């Protein structure tokens, strides 16, 4: 069996950022309008009024301060409350493929790799914009890569599942270099009129180049082990699919958008992930203290604090478990890859770390890595 490594990563960040203050002001204006239009029913007690969202709550409950989005004006317009991303003709590259290509170009450049050196493309993401042809094949064509390409979706865990899939192709010899991309336009699936979750997500694209060790550039990351887990739950769900119907007001039918039982997710996923990490550490003959850094899924700062404490045996410092949640919010599968991309330059040969994601399914993935010279 061959050894798979991570040669490089890439990141593309949308140009528009929305602060909590801006998001809450637009939600509150929407809620006030909603209440005004239902004045009589609210006064008679027939329906409950919408209550205001709060910047303080969002930051305390999640650690999120702002998020990047593909379209700011639509999201912030109280009459729209959704991104307005113009549809493109079939002849033009689709928006998901375009942002994936942006991230992929950086990963290829960092590894000194030409498209013709790559054998396969995997688009691993939660928020697919269409059924087919696969976004991955569009990315493959746009970059001029040969071989094969396909999409896969394991919600927030898509990137770690994508890394293991890519690594398995390399280990088995069916590919020498695999480009795995995570374009996440989460704003297209978020209900900006749902006070409980309107603040959660942001948009981004990441890329990871997984390659055979002898082919990879110097300074790559050995993959010490990968592990995946799924366990069915309805607590995070998005019914977007072929039964989709846009609501008349154009926001999108609420049950075809993201929704969750946040408290249950918190309670059930933290122990599941901590146990999984500790069992995988054991299997690899490692301990939490052997890890210089955890690049955890970026869904909630409190969740990450608990998980890292269970793994390291103490509350992690910002250096041990960096967050990108404050500026990016939850970017689904891309979150742990953004953290890895932005917070790994200081690693020296022999330093070990963990890329870990978790989310809907439930699903979780662990990828232990070691920096080489
Ligand atoms: N502004 C102000 N108050 C709000 C609010 C908002 N935007 N949203 C909810 N609240 C209120 C609730 O109504 C509730 O009030 P009550 O106590 O009077 O009923 C209170 O704040 C607590 O709400 P709750 O939903 O229990 O908050 P929480 O502490 O669980 O935090 C999440 C909410 C979503 C941030 C948190 O549960 C979470 O991150 N869960 C895991 C999410 C996750 O990982 N999901 C995976 C997605 S891929």
């Amino acid at each position: 069996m061959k050894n798979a490594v991570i040669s490089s990563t890439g990141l593309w960040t949308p140009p528009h950022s929305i602060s909590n203050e801006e998001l809450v002001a637009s939600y509150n204006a929407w809620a006030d309008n909603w209440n005004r239009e239902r004045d009589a029913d609210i006064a008679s007690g027939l329906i409950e009024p919408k209550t205001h969202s709060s910047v303080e709550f969002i930051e305390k409950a999640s650690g999120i301060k702002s998020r990047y989005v593909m379209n700011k004006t639509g999201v912030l317009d109280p009459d729209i409350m959704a991104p307005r991303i113009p549809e493109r003709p079939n002849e033009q590259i689709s928006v998901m493929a375009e942002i994936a290509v942006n991230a992929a170009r950086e990963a290829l450049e960092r590894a000194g790799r030409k498209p013709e050196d790559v054998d396969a493309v995997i688009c691993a993401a939660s928020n697919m914009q269409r059924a087919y042809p696969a976004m991955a094949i569009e990315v493959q064509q746009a970059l001029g890569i040969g071989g094969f390409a396909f999409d896969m979706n394991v919600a927030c865990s898509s990137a770690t599942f994508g890394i293991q899939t890519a690594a398995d192709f390399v280990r088995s010899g069916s590919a020498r270099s695999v480009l795995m991309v995570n374009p996440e336009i989460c704003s297209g699936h978020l209900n900006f009129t749902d006070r409980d979750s309107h603040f959660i997500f942001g948009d981004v694209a990441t890329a990871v180049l997984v390659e055979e060790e002898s082919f990879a550039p110097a300074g790559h990351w050995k993959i010490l082990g990968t592990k995946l887990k799924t366990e069915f739950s309805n607590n995070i769900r998005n019914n977007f699919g072929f039964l989709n119907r846009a609501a008349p007001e154009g926001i999108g039918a609420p049950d075809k958008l993201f929704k969750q039982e946040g408290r249950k997710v918190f309670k059930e996923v933290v122990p599941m992930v901590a146990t999984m990490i500790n069992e995988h550490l054991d299997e690899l003959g490692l301990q939490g203290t052997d890890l210089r850094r955890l690049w955890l899924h970026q869904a909630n700062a409190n969740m990450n604090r608990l998980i890292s404490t269970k793994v390291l045996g103490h509350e992690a410092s910002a250096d041990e478990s960096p967050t990108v949640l404050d500026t990016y919010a939850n970017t689904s599968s891309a979150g742990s890859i953004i953290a890895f991309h932005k917070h790994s330059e200081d690693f020296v040969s022999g330093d070990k770390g963990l890329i870990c994601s978790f989310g809907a399914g439930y699903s979780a993935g662990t990828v232990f890595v070691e920096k080489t010279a």
Side-chain angles (χ1 to χ4, degrees), residues 24 27 51-55 57-58 61-62 155-156 194-201 236 258 260-266 269 297 299-303 330 332 358-360:
V24 165
Y27 176 87
T51 44
H52 277 187
S53 181
S54 114
V55 170
F57 170 83
I58 295 171
S62 69
C156 288
D194 175 27
R195 177 173 168 266
D196 289 352
S197 64
H198 75 118
F199 55 88
I200 288 182
F201 287 111
I236 316 170
F258 167 88
Q260 71 167 354
E261 298 285 341
R263 271 282 154 98
K264 287 189 188 158
V265 173
F266 203 113
V269 170
H297 174 48
N300 179 294
N302 301 321
M303 239 171 148
N330 182 345
S332 198
F358 39 87

Side-chain angles (χ1 to χ4, degrees), residues 16-212:
H16 316 288
S17 172
I18 297 180
S19 67
N20 284 344
E21 287 76 11
E22 289 173 300
L23 193 76
V24 165
S26 99
Y27 176 87
N28 291 348
W30 173 85
D32 291 343
N33 291 343
W34 193 93
N35 290 343
R36 205 171 304 118
E37 283 161 17
R38 291 157 184 83
D39 235 2
D41 286 344
I42 291 171
S44 70
L46 199 66
I47 52 172
E48 287 288 320
K50 299 278 181 197
T51 44
H52 277 187
S53 181
S54 114
V55 170
E56 296 69 36
F57 170 83
I58 295 171
E59 196 176 329
K60 189 161 176 283
S62 69
I64 297 166
K65 294 180 185 162
S66 59
R67 69 285 297 138
Y68 292 97
V69 289
M70 298 297 291
N71 172 264
K72 183 166 173 169
T73 49
V75 168
L76 290 185
D77 185 337
D79 293 327
I80 301 178
M81 302 296 277
R84 284 287 178 257
I85 302 169
E87 269 200 63
R88 297 179 174 189
N90 291 352
E91 295 67 38
Q92 195 182 346
I93 188 166
S94 64
V95 67
M96 255 186 96
E98 184 174 273
I99 68 171
V101 164
N102 293 342
R105 284 196 203 284
E106 188 185 3
L108 294 176
E109 200 181 300
R110 283 176 150 221
R113 198 60 77 220
K114 292 196 184 69
E116 54 268 33
D117 298 326
V118 179
D119 305 311
V121 179
I122 300 172
C123 175
S126 309
N127 298 291
M128 298 300 184
Q129 74 172 77
R130 63 165 184 263
Y132 48 80
M135 264 63 73
I137 304 177
E138 212 183 344
V139 172
Q140 177 194 21
Q141 192 221 26
L143 289 169
I145 291 171
F148 61 94
F150 62 92
D151 293 346
M152 55 183 276
N153 184 344
V154 201
C156 288
S157 299
S158 298
T160 50
F161 277 62
I163 290 173
Q164 172 161 326
T165 305
D168 284 344
F169 285 142
V170 169
R171 288 163 182 153
S172 68
S174 54
R176 190 173 58 160
S177 173
V178 183
L179 175 67
M180 198 277 301
V181 291
N182 322 104
E184 291 286 15
I185 305 183
C186 304
S187 61
H189 291 257
L190 183 54
N191 185 352
F192 286 96
T193 68
D194 175 27
R195 177 173 168 266
D196 289 352
S197 64
H198 75 118
F199 55 88
I200 288 182
F201 287 111
D203 302 335
V204 80
T206 51
V208 180
L209 194 62
V210 177
E211 302 192 307
E212 206 268 299

